[in-house]
Amino acid sequence: MTLAQLHVLLAAAKAGSFTRAAEEIGFTQSAVSQMINSLEKELGISLFHRSRSGISPTSIGERMLQHARDILQITACMTQEAASARNLATGTLRIASLPSVATRILPGLLGAFRKQYPAVEIILFEGKNDEIHNWIASSVVDIGFTVQPEKDLQTLPLIQDSMMVILPQTHSLSNESQLSFAQIAERCFIMPRDECVKKTLHENGIVPKSTFEVGDISTILTMVQEYIGVSILPELYIPLTIPKVVAIPLSPPINRQLVLAVRNWQAVSPLTAEFAVHSQKYMNGMEITSDARAHHS
């Protein structure tokens, strides 16, 4: 068994075809087939179901894929630690993020990190909370920005993300410094298609009467602007410049903790650990907004 075989195994599983895998990794189709066949012969099992439409992992193949990811992650750690000993920062860092974090925080954070470590390849995965948890647990990514993490993940707290009421700029309540849910409970709500937001609100006794559920945040803000309804959004969801709407904190406040999550802090690569320290320092030096009223345009 070789590392090259494990790389080919993962590429084939991802591509769903030996031919496509060969194209993606620069091998011939016959070479990919031979390496998989050789690995199957060595292990004494079938790793893939084969059909005219492509390939798919067998049950034991799925388990072997997880082991392959773990082995390659360990070898990457060894390579990065050796590079660190030579005062070089190289390697690949796979990061998962919620869309709100990717929009508001990651551009500046990653820009600062790349200036310090220009030789590092960064691969960004954007997804929902449960997707991120699965990616971390299965070693698809090295680290992830998330909220309400699964109990089997280990986390590093970053910042609090506050729930904000979104109103038209000329609304009769737009000059309030904070708003209770009772003040807006009977209004039409335009809510994000986000189970995590719903869960956070429900856990705090808030159940908006959603008339619309919308996936795109800019669409929600435009609908609020047009007096179609009001909304409650996490502050990280809200762009720094928004059209003719205001964001007012809920009272009593509802916050959710943004964290960095990994499978095990003791087993992360030096590069992942350095990124975690960098992220915490970066977040400590920033504010989401200095005042909710800054969301007036």
Side-chain angles (χ1 to χ4, degrees), residues 44-59:
I45 56 173
S46 294
L47 295 169
F48 294 104
H49 297 295
R50 294 160 170 85
S51 67
R52 291 183 179 180
S53 60
I55 60 171
S56 62
T58 60
S59 177

Side-chain angles (χ1 to χ4, degrees), residues 190-211:
I190 308 161
M191 298 301 293
R193 198 173 291 120
D194 186 324
E195 293 300 322
C196 184
V197 172
K198 293 178 186 176
K199 182 179 179 182
T200 300
L201 293 174
H202 288 190
E203 287 175 347
N204 287 271
I206 290 182
V207 184
K209 297 177 181 178
S210 298
T211 306

Side-chain angles (χ1 to χ4, degrees), residues 1 11 77 85 114 129 150 170 190 242 283:
M1 185 186 307
C77 288
R114 286 298 298 273
N129 233 36
E150 300 292 341
T170 55
I190 308 161
I242 54 179
M283 300 294 255

Side-chain angles (χ1 to χ4, degrees), residues 172-222:
S172 60
L173 297 173
S174 64
N175 290 319
E176 299 292 325
S177 60
Q178 55 187 16
L179 287 171
S180 69
F181 181 64
Q183 290 175 275
I184 56 172
E186 298 304 317
R187 301 187 182 269
C188 166
F189 278 85
I190 308 161
M191 298 301 293
R193 198 173 291 120
D194 186 324
E195 293 300 322
C196 184
V197 172
K198 293 178 186 176
K199 182 179 179 182
T200 300
L201 293 174
H202 288 190
E203 287 175 347
N204 287 271
I206 290 182
V207 184
K209 297 177 181 178
S210 298
T211 306
F212 303 97
E213 285 197 6
V214 180
D216 183 68
I217 300 303
S218 62
T219 301
I220 293 177
L221 298 176
T222 301

Side-chain angles (χ1 to χ4, degrees), residues 66-134:
Q66 180 59 59
H67 292 319
R69 293 189 188 100
D70 290 341
I71 291 169
L72 292 175
Q73 183 178 31
I74 290 170
T75 60
C77 288
M78 293 174 66
T79 300
Q80 289 167 14
E81 285 199 35
S84 296
R86 301 193 306 270
N87 293 319
L88 297 174
T90 60
T92 300
L93 182 63
R94 299 163 300 169
I95 305 167
S97 174
L98 297 166
S100 56
V101 177
T103 300
R104 289 288 303 277
I105 294 173
L106 280 189
L109 191 157
L110 293 182
F113 188 75
R114 286 298 298 273
K115 287 180 181 178
Q116 191 170 355
Y117 300 100
V120 171
E121 179 187 10
I122 297 175
I123 302 174
L124 182 63
F125 295 72
E126 190 175 307
K128 298 177 182 177
N129 233 36
D130 55 350
E131 291 176 320
I132 292 172
H133 298 164
N134 289 335

